[in-house]
Amino acid sequence: MNSKPVGILGGTFDPIHYGHLRLAEEMLELANLRQIRFIPTGIPPHRDAPQVSAQHRSAMVQLAIADQPAFVLDDREVRRDTPCYTVNTLRELRAELGATQPLCLLMGGDAFLQLHTWHEWEQLFELAHIVVGYRPGFTLEERIHSATEELQRHYHARLCTADILSQQPCGGIAELAIPKLEISATDIRRRVAENRTIRYLLPNAVANYIHQHHLYKPC
Ligand code: ATP
């Protein structure tokens, strides 16, 4: 088998910004992905509810990715009205895309070190590869000792290079050095609430949408 993997980037995207978009663009290139599906979370099990509705968050993702044909909005999680677990989303994608299609779950190093807290986390490896972005100079290898023993065991057994990802449907862990832009959705929401500028932190189309719909303003 040698089929380009499909990447999956979940997030609250409240709102989507250039940090997410650069992460996706770099992973597309470095992991030689066919496509990246942006999957906004509906009701996230691990954190506070997003500030704006699923419809607004999906609309902003759609505007942000409009000019990159390899990026696709997948709004399956926001159409559900129950908490969404990644493992269930991956099961659905696996059923739709077939048993042999390589799938790559994309995440940052901090998220990976907390993987053992995810629902049915060991099943994730039966469904997808995990591709971890780390800041150059802050390798996962140096930080993995802070993870649980089980997670360390998976890490050492499954670590592979990016070229392996297209040869297996799931089960590998690949690390990619990706500079992290110092942009967060929390900071963007705070700036909007304080009437401060958000230009150059996210695409203009998304900034215009936020202003037109009066999002992130205190009521
Ligand atoms: P918040 O500030 O509301 O917590 P966020 O900006 O961190 O949000 P999320 O939607 O929670 O955005 O992130 C989705 C994914 O994007 C996560 O895997 C996260 O690690 C990654 N990510 C977020 N911001 C950046 C960034 N600046 N550079 C690289 N990756 C990022």
Side-chain angles (χ1 to χ4, degrees):
M1 185 199 334
N2 205 346
S3 161
K4 278 186 162 194
V6 169
I8 294 145
L9 182 61
T12 40
F13 302 124
D14 190 21
I16 190 167
H17 52 68
Y18 280 133
H20 302 127
L21 292 164
R22 279 301 308 170
L23 174 76
E25 185 73 13
E26 295 256 14
M27 286 198 165
L28 186 75
E29 180 178 65
L30 296 174
N32 196 20
L33 306 176
R34 169 155 71 88
Q35 175 191 81
I36 293 182
R37 292 184 178 224
F38 285 68
I39 308 192
T41 356
I43 305 171
H46 287 298
R47 52 181 283 168
D48 295 342
Q51 249 187 40
V52 309
S53 71
Q55 286 66 30
H56 282 315
R57 291 182 291 113
S58 297
M60 291 189 280
V61 169
Q62 188 65 72
L63 287 169
I65 65 178
D67 60 358
Q68 169 48 291
F71 291 174
V72 173
L73 168 68
D74 183 331
D75 65 354
R76 71 183 64 228
E77 289 195 0
V78 300
R79 284 188 267 108
R80 284 201 215 118
D81 51 10
T82 49
C84 310
Y85 293 109
T86 302
V87 70
N88 293 331
T89 300
L90 288 179
R91 283 187 180 120
E92 279 184 24
L93 284 168
R94 176 57 70 205
E96 285 165 29
L97 300 174
T100 57
Q101 169 63 52
L103 296 178
C104 290
L105 185 61
L106 314 177
M107 64 182 69
D110 294 332
F112 180 78
L113 293 171
Q114 294 301 314
L115 199 68
H116 62 281
T117 64
W118 293 30
H119 185 61
E120 292 185 55
W121 68 276
E122 287 177 289
Q123 282 300 307
L124 298 171
F125 298 112
E126 308 298 322
L127 293 158
H129 300 295
I130 297 192
V131 180
V132 185
Y134 67 92
R135 297 170 188 231
F138 291 86
T139 64
L140 205 49
E141 201 180 358
E142 288 164 18
R143 298 196 295 152
I144 193 68
H145 60 86
S146 67
T148 62
E149 260 178 43
E150 273 308 278
L151 187 53
Q152 290 187 45
R153 194 175 58 72
H154 280 286
Y155 172 79
H156 291 299
R158 298 178 180 282
L159 195 59
C160 66
T161 50
D163 53 311
I164 301 297
L165 302 172
S166 61
Q167 294 168 26
Q168 304 285 339
C170 58
I173 297 174
E175 295 177 71
L176 302 174
I178 296 180
K180 186 172 188 221
L181 300 182
E182 288 302 330
I183 301 175
S184 76
T186 305
D187 176 57
I188 291 173
R189 294 193 297 272
R190 192 178 305 127
R191 283 170 174 271
V192 176
E194 293 171 357
N195 287 320
R196 295 173 59 205
T197 173
I198 54 171
R199 189 188 292 212
Y200 307 130
L201 296 174
L202 71 184
N204 276 340
V206 178
N208 291 340
Y209 186 96
I210 289 171
H211 295 315
Q212 272 161 18
H213 294 267
H214 310 289
L215 306 183
Y216 308 117
K217 290 282 187 199
C219 354

